[in-house]
Amino acid sequence: MKHNFVHLEYPLTHPGVERAEQAVANFKRMSNSFNPTRTLAAMLLAAIVAAFVVVADQMMATWADGHLLAAWVALWAVAFAAVGLFAGVSKTLAIQAKQALDSWSASMARRRSDERLWSIAQTDARLMSELQSALSRSNEDLPSLQSSTQRRVERMLQNRQYYI
């Protein structure tokens, strides 16, 4: 009696799926290396260079046609000099602008969150009592470090100006 067995090697994953997973991993790696400060600095630098190129072009437009090559050389010299001179300044401006926008958006988010919490607390007695106890605890701890929202909530609670 003769037994024949067939042994085939099948891959465990599909090659198309592997390529798709590699593409997704590459996109994730690219997004992790993305730096908004560097992008903003490059955009500011491009704007400054474009302004210098326009000014240089306007100044050289009065030259005669015989000096066109010299005008283009001078124009590109101004462009590259502007890139070299303002690279550090534009990066510093980009970092400052990013930090200012981050702090502004964080303060706006905190304000909206406080307003939502207060509007919910006006309709929920349990949350209002929690806020009252938290405010009384915070008044005992640090009375001088209150935000304007906390002072307003405290004043409303003291005057019983909330509606449940």
Side-chain angles (χ1 to χ4, degrees):
M1 189 153 112
K2 190 175 180 182
H3 294 280
N4 289 332
F5 291 102
V6 178
H7 297 283
L8 298 175
E9 296 291 327
Y10 290 108
L12 297 177
T13 60
H14 191 274
V17 172
E18 288 179 359
R19 283 192 304 269
E21 288 175 348
Q22 288 174 354
V24 168
N26 286 338
F27 278 122
K28 285 183 181 178
R29 191 170 44 250
M30 283 175 36
S31 68
N32 289 341
S33 67
F34 176 72
N35 188 355
T37 305
R38 189 179 324 146
T39 305
L40 184 59
M43 291 174 66
L44 284 173
L45 181 61
I48 292 170
V49 169
F52 271 106
V53 168
V54 167
V55 169
D57 185 49
Q58 292 294 325
M59 291 176 65
M60 288 182 274
T62 60
W63 286 10
D65 288 334
H67 300 288
L68 192 59
L69 180 63
W72 276 105
V73 169
L75 179 68
W76 283 108
V78 168
F80 287 123
V83 168
L85 287 174
F86 293 108
V89 174
S90 65
K91 185 172 182 176
T92 304
L93 285 173
I95 289 171
Q96 290 174 351
K98 182 184 174 294
Q99 289 173 348
L101 288 173
D102 285 346
S103 65
W104 175 76
S105 64
S107 67
M108 292 297 290
R110 280 193 302 272
R111 187 180 58 80
R112 284 193 307 265
S113 173
D114 289 345
E115 288 173 357
R116 278 194 306 268
L117 180 65
W118 181 247
S119 66
I120 292 170
Q122 287 179 337
T123 59
D124 189 1
R126 294 174 297 173
L127 185 57
M128 185 61 77
S129 66
E130 287 289 326
L131 282 176
Q132 287 175 339
S133 63
L135 282 173
S136 66
R137 281 194 305 268
S138 69
N139 285 342
E140 294 168 359
D141 295 340
L142 296 172
S144 63
L145 299 176
Q146 289 182 341
S147 69
S148 62
T149 306
Q150 288 174 332
R151 288 192 299 266
R152 184 178 59 181
V153 168
E154 179 183 309
R155 190 172 52 251
M156 292 173 88
L157 288 174
Q158 287 174 353
N159 296 333
R160 305 265 188 229
Q161 293 178 342
Y162 56 90
Y163 305 101
I164 298 178

